[in-house]
Every structure is written in C-alpha cells, then in structure tokens.
Amino acid sequence: MPTPLLSAGQVQSRLKQLKGWSHPGNAITKTLKLKDFVHAMGFVNSVALLAEGMDHHPDIDIRWNKVTLTLSTHSAGGLTENDFKLAKAIDGL
Amino acid sequence: MPTPLLSAGQVQSRLKQLKGWSHPGNAITKTLKLKDFVHAMGFVNSVALLAEGMDHHPDIDIRWNKVTLTLSTHSAGGLTENDFKLAKAIDGL
C-alpha cells in the first residue's frame, strides 16, 4: 500500500517540528551552509546513509559549501509521512 | 595570477576531447545515469576527491541514480583550462 499524501494542515503541523525547512510546491527543502566543500561532502554522505536506510532519497544539490536538500514522495505525487521522517532524521545529524 | 579564460575556439577543441559533455552558457555539464543511488553516491565521492585534490569544485546535482556535474571557473567568469582538466579526470573515472 503506498504511503498516503498528507493534507495541507498535516504538512503545516509537521513543518513546525522541523528546523529551517521551507515548503515550495509539493516538496520541502532546506539549504545548509557548511564550512567548506569537504564538510559539505561529509554532511551529504551522512544524509545519503540515512536516505538509503529509509529507502527514501532526497534531491541533493551541492554548491561548494552549500547543500540543498529537497524532499517529496514522487510515487505519491506530493508530501507523505516519509518525507517528514527523513527531514527529522536529517535535522538530528 | 588567475587562470585565463579560454576562447570559444579553445573551448570547442577541448570539448571534442571529452565524453558526453555539453556546453550551455559559460559552463560545461554532463549527466550520468548510474545503477542506483548507492552507485551514484560512489561516483559523486570519486568526483569529490578529484575536485578537492585539484581545488576546483563542480556543482553536483543528485537525483537518485542520476548525477549532473556542472563546471565553470566562477572567479574567472567562464571556462578555463581548470574546467577541462577536471572534466577529463572525471571522464577517466
């Protein structure tokens, strides 16, 4: 059974529990500024391990020391509980 | 002394020595499709080690098994020899 889409109200209440994520369109996104490229890659690899473990993968954009993560459940056509589980785990890194 | 910008002719001749790169605007870019996310991350980490060793860092976009690399020398305002050196090294991975 596919994970169900969250309602707008459910998205808003879950967003409040996250740190620094915004909600454009059908996704949530966060940009982090690290010390330099090496630290950015360290962070990206930590995110990648979490993502692979949860079988839920963010879009990842690396611009030297800046990393932008974008989460959405493409198979469901929008945001589901899985996006917020991963976002919360990323916030905990 | 900053690395000098390449002329349009120099860019074209260097592009011919690369595999699968296109040349939009002031950059060169290549998208690779790997087996899955784990293989994409392995490739990205190999690129990151090359980039850090050359102190020249591509923009890296990861979309599950697809990796897009974009190279330009921002300090010079366009393409320099450094972009093609890194692109060639990436092609050799």
Side-chain angles (χ1 to χ4, degrees):
Chain A
M1 208 174 72
T3 316
L5 281 179
L6 296 174
S7 69
Q10 289 171 319
V11 166
Q12 288 307 322
S13 71
R14 279 158 184 75
L15 261 178
K16 285 181 194 152
Q17 299 169 35
L18 299 179
K19 296 177 227 162
W21 293 77
S22 63
H23 171 36
N26 283 329
I28 53 173
T29 186
K30 181 178 185 175
T31 298
L32 296 101
K33 192 174 173 179
L34 288 300
K35 189 186 156 200
D36 55 24
F37 181 72
V38 169
H39 286 78
M41 285 305 306
F43 174 71
V44 164
N45 278 293
S46 298
V47 170
L49 288 167
L50 283 176
E52 189 62 17
M54 297 172 73
D55 194 23
H56 193 61
H57 304 84
D59 291 347
I60 304 172
D61 294 354
I62 306 165
R63 302 290 179 272
W64 195 57
N65 69 333
K66 288 197 198 78
V67 178
T68 297
L69 305 171
T70 305
L71 282 166
S72 190
T73 304
H74 301 292
S75 59
L79 290 165
T80 67
E81 206 65 77
N82 289 342
D83 299 304
F84 287 92
K85 274 186 201 159
L86 179 55
K88 210 173 174 77
I90 290 168
D91 281 348
L93 284 174
Chain B
M1 207 173 71
T3 316
L5 280 178
L6 297 174
S7 70
Q10 289 172 317
V11 166
Q12 288 307 321
S13 71
R14 280 159 184 74
L15 261 178
K16 284 180 195 153
Q17 299 169 36
L18 299 179
K19 296 177 227 164
W21 294 76
S22 62
H23 171 36
N26 283 330
I28 54 174
T29 185
K30 182 178 184 175
T31 298
L32 296 101
K33 192 174 173 177
L34 288 299
K35 190 187 157 200
D36 55 23
F37 180 73
V38 170
H39 286 78
M41 285 305 306
F43 174 72
V44 164
N45 278 293
S46 298
V47 170
L49 289 167
L50 282 176
E52 189 61 19
M54 297 171 74
D55 194 23
H56 193 60
H57 304 84
D59 290 348
I60 305 172
D61 293 355
I62 306 164
R63 301 290 179 272
W64 194 57
N65 69 332
K66 289 198 197 77
V67 178
T68 298
L69 305 171
T70 305
L71 283 166
S72 190
T73 305
H74 300 291
S75 59
L79 289 165
T80 68
E81 206 65 79
N82 290 342
D83 299 304
F84 288 93
K85 273 187 200 159
L86 179 54
K88 210 175 173 77
I90 289 168
D91 281 348
L93 284 175

